[in-house]
Amino acid sequence: MKEFDFFVYESGQFRFYDILKYLKKNEIDHEKIPYSVKILIENQIRKSKEGKNTEVKKISDWLNNIGEEIPYYPSRVILQDFTGVPAVVDLASLRDAVSQNGGNPSVINPEIQVDLVIDHSISMDHYGDSKSLQLNMDLEFERNNERYQLLKWAQSSFQNFRIIPPGNGIIHQINLEYLSSIVSEKDDIMFPDTLIGTDSHTTMIDGLGILGWGVGGIEAEAVMLGEPLFIKIPEVIGVKLSGKASPGITSTDIVLTITELLRKENVVEKFVEFFGPGLKELSLPDRATIANMAPEYGATTGFFPVDEKTIDYLKLTGREKNSDKVKAYLEAQGMFYRPEFEPVYSKVINFDLSSVVPSLAGPSKPQERINLEDMSIRFSSVLQKLNRDKKSVKVELEGNDQTISDGTIVLAAITSCTNTSNPGVLIGAGLLAKKAVEAGLKVPPFVKTTFAPGSRAASEYLERAGLLKYLNQLGFNIAGYGCATCIGNSGPLQKVIEDTIDLNSLSVSAILSGNRNFEARIHQKIRNNYLASPPLVVAFALAGKTDIDLTSEPIGIGDKGVVYLKDIWPSFTEIDNYISKFVTSDVFTEKYENVLDGDERWKKINVSTSQLFDWNEDSTYIRKAPFFDGFHLNKSRLESIENARILLKLGDNVTTDHISPAGSIPENYPAGIYLNKRGIHKNGFNSYGSRRGNHEVMMRGTFANVRIKNHLADGKEGGYTKHNDKIIHIFDAAEMLKKENVSLIIVAGKEYGTGSSRDWAAKGTLLLGVKAVIAKSYERIHRSNLVGMGILPFQFINDDDYDFITGNETINISISENPTHEMIVKSYFDEKMIPLKLRLDTDMEIEYIRNKGILHLVLRNKL
């Protein structure tokens, strides 16, 4: 029998599971429990009443049960198209597998709400004029028609599956401004809105007081199909905010400083929860900016409890109808922020907002914060690493000679969910552009300038404010709505610029308002990538270089002489006046009214409704997944690894950008060769991300990053390894060894798999024939993804053993048929025995390995 409690809202009664009553009954003081943990407690109580296997006692006494496994049931899943397409391919392939094994294919269907936002396919090929948006969207539909056919089929064939068509914005901003409700209702029961997403920056929603984080696509598929997400009870780090940001400081400056601090504090795989008197000094978009970058500071979440500012944001964005009910529910559950209460945390870190100074981060890691005044000095260290003085080359552009040098900015982009959700920095960028135009400043012709707003609402309030025209005059015309430059869809530079970079080995720069700047991510020709606020992106674009101190050196020469940054930097008062006048509720209600309809290009895509997808064997975008080939109902025995060879030996901080195919496809790499053989030329390659529905492209692109450094490749940079004393492509070597029935192993250093939650980093590894990875340490999501695909993750007991390995050894690893959590195993590298820890951290992960991965487990359960 289900047991409910009730509270009265206006004239109606609403049912809910009263966690305060449960805690009081068990003599637990709810005031001492972190707000994020209360959401987990409600989840366990509610699901236990529904007859699910939950661990209410463990999570209620969370501080004494850190590290214990619990099943967790998010209320919804959110996908973007780069990760969503392979998820849909897997679901369609699962339906085929069910049908082939005598089952009903319709059992493969999302059991909770799934939203897929198409935002990662827009590329910045065209820029700098009023036609950029239309031309880029025309290219997007032309390149991605096959993918969009699959997605429209999924929308018509699956229940609980909703699509936001292209051209509306970035997944996380649409989630923040439209999809999220804070409190959900089902069968007249109220409960917290919770979610997981197949994008690392799903954490942005924690700024709205909704518990959410990124997982691999493999885990997300299992949750869609009714499986719980097994998590460890986390440490919860409290960040106590105090003070107030100084005039001129942006939310980007704050988040880059927090990222630097929390990286040093090692909050990896932990919940971070913000509280304290400084909380009231942050707007809701400021909080979302900080929550967005939780993956960059390493945390699972960056959670902000709901308070009056959260409720005000619901009203601002057109969700006023339910705002009072949301507040009443959260107050009844002890989940509404009370500044007089201070929960007990695993650890408290103090952060004074007044200590923040203008900042950037780079050239290749988000935690590499740089004071604005130190940019010139810090760039000199880049040249020191190259062991040379600054190089400069003359090129002709638009009929005039221009100088391109080390440190020259060739790409400036206002992009990414981090900042384009925030009216403060977008209005700030527009005001700075206005002042720059009025002063007579222009962006040099060698700088590619792009603007990809996070939602239609963002461009609307800039238009209403009269600021969009000034951004346009500086070349920051809207070139698309979606995740563009930050994911590597930056499009080509001018050919003369690319040729000049190549011929002279120039170390040029990009400046972007993003959250990721890993090697070769933004553009393969650009070695130095700096994260900055949108106003600073515009400022550096005007300056045209990164080796400059904008606090003391002129930004340029205008109509009336020298102009400094301080001359055109907008004040807090100016920005706030514009926000209060032009960022209004009707902006959001108008732009989201028909967001599900799509434009005429989307409406013209015709698909049939059917339970099974009609695969096109000639497609180079969408292929039936091979993961169920040879499937049988009985689980496999867990076998030891014998006579394996090392395919790669990698260093520290190898990211999923290095592992998973991302960005443009080089013509002379295996994926490019594959496409060429099928009659597709370079201008039709599109990106790796857009071809994630074709395993043939993706397995060829795994470990094919042009900046990856495999220690077995004799110093050759890129996707190469040694086989039979020859340096060849990693894919080619893997295929040769596969034919010889040789199992493969990857050896890596610390923090293996840092970065985006890319399931293809694990899927591609599996398809290359890799049975195990041995690393000094792992990033949370990637280790989980490896397990989800049936790949064994080992960890060195002694880091020094890594140095002993040459890559030429034959490896044997003995594994028990009944492994235990973090079991110590013996491995033999030729004659040397190296102890390893088997990183199967939960009972469910052991079960995944026994089933050869999550997808096989789900299929067995459904059959």
Side-chain angles (χ1 to χ4, degrees), residues 387-546:
N387 294 314
R388 71 174 193 221
D389 294 329
K390 181 176 174 180
K391 270 189 184 180
S392 296
V393 182
K394 294 280 188 183
V395 296
E396 185 178 316
L397 291 171
E398 300 179 0
N400 296 307
D401 283 345
Q402 300 286 339
T403 301
I404 310 293
S405 308
D406 294 322
T408 291
I409 291 175
V410 295
L411 177 62
I414 302 174
T415 185
S416 171
C417 45
T418 318
N419 291 284
T420 57
S421 65
N422 197 320
V425 289
L426 285 189
I427 293 288
L431 285 168
L432 189 141
K434 179 177 184 290
K435 294 170 185 283
V437 169
E438 290 170 347
L441 296 178
K442 295 181 179 179
V443 174
F446 47 76
V447 183
K448 178 175 181 175
T449 47
T450 61
F451 180 21
S455 73
R456 293 271 178 178
S459 55
E460 178 66 18
Y461 60 67
L462 284 170
E463 178 70 54
R464 293 187 184 188
L467 298 176
L468 205 55
K469 64 182 180 182
Y470 296 107
L471 288 164
N472 292 345
Q473 287 182 58
L474 295 182
F476 286 96
N477 304 74
I478 293 174
Y481 289 92
C483 186
T485 302
C486 195
I487 194 62
N489 290 351
S490 52
L493 306 175
Q494 297 177 63
K495 188 175 186 305
V496 64
I497 299 290
E498 292 196 1
D499 290 345
T500 300
I501 295 168
D502 286 341
L503 290 171
N504 298 279
S505 299
L506 293 179
S507 186
V508 294
S509 300
I511 188 96
L512 65 147
S513 65
N515 45 32
R516 289 273 162 85
N517 56 345
F518 302 135
E519 287 184 317
R521 179 186 178 97
I522 307 305
H523 192 288
Q524 292 182 354
K525 304 291 183 185
I526 303 174
R527 285 187 173 269
N528 314 298
N529 301 284
Y530 295 95
L531 307 180
S533 65
L536 277 182
V537 168
V538 178
F540 272 95
L542 291 164
K545 56 185 178 180
T546 47

Side-chain angles (χ1 to χ4, degrees), residues 539-551:
F540 272 95
L542 291 164
K545 56 185 178 180
T546 47
D547 53 338
I548 183 174
D549 174 8
L550 286 181
T551 66

Side-chain angles (χ1 to χ4, degrees), residues 650-663:
L650 302 167
D652 295 340
N653 301 308
V654 171
T655 71
T656 49
D657 277 33
H658 291 111
I659 306 166
S660 175

Side-chain angles (χ1 to χ4, degrees), residues 815-831:
I815 306 167
S816 167
E817 286 187 33
N818 297 299
T820 57
H821 300 166
E822 302 187 355
M823 184 177 72
I824 307 302
V825 302
K826 293 181 179 179
S827 68
Y828 291 89
F829 286 67
D830 288 339
E831 299 300 319

Side-chain angles (χ1 to χ4, degrees), residues 95-107 611-612 862-863:
R95 279 195 168 181
D96 283 0
V98 168
S99 179
Q100 289 161 11
N101 283 273
N104 181 352
S106 66
V107 300
Q611 285 192 337
L612 300 178
K862 293 298 181 184
L863 288 169

Side-chain angles (χ1 to χ4, degrees), residues 793-839:
F794 294 98
Q795 192 162 329
F796 288 102
I797 303 278
N798 306 306
D799 285 355
D800 291 345
D801 285 333
Y802 168 92
D803 300 322
F804 159 81
I805 297 168
T806 66
N808 298 317
E809 299 89 349
T810 297
I811 302 104
N812 292 281
I813 305 176
S814 57
I815 306 167
S816 167
E817 286 187 33
N818 297 299
T820 57
H821 300 166
E822 302 187 355
M823 184 177 72
I824 307 302
V825 302
K826 293 181 179 179
S827 68
Y828 291 89
F829 286 67
D830 288 339
E831 299 300 319
K832 181 176 173 63
M833 197 283 284
I834 295 179
L836 302 172
K837 180 187 292 184
L838 178 56
R839 285 293 309 278

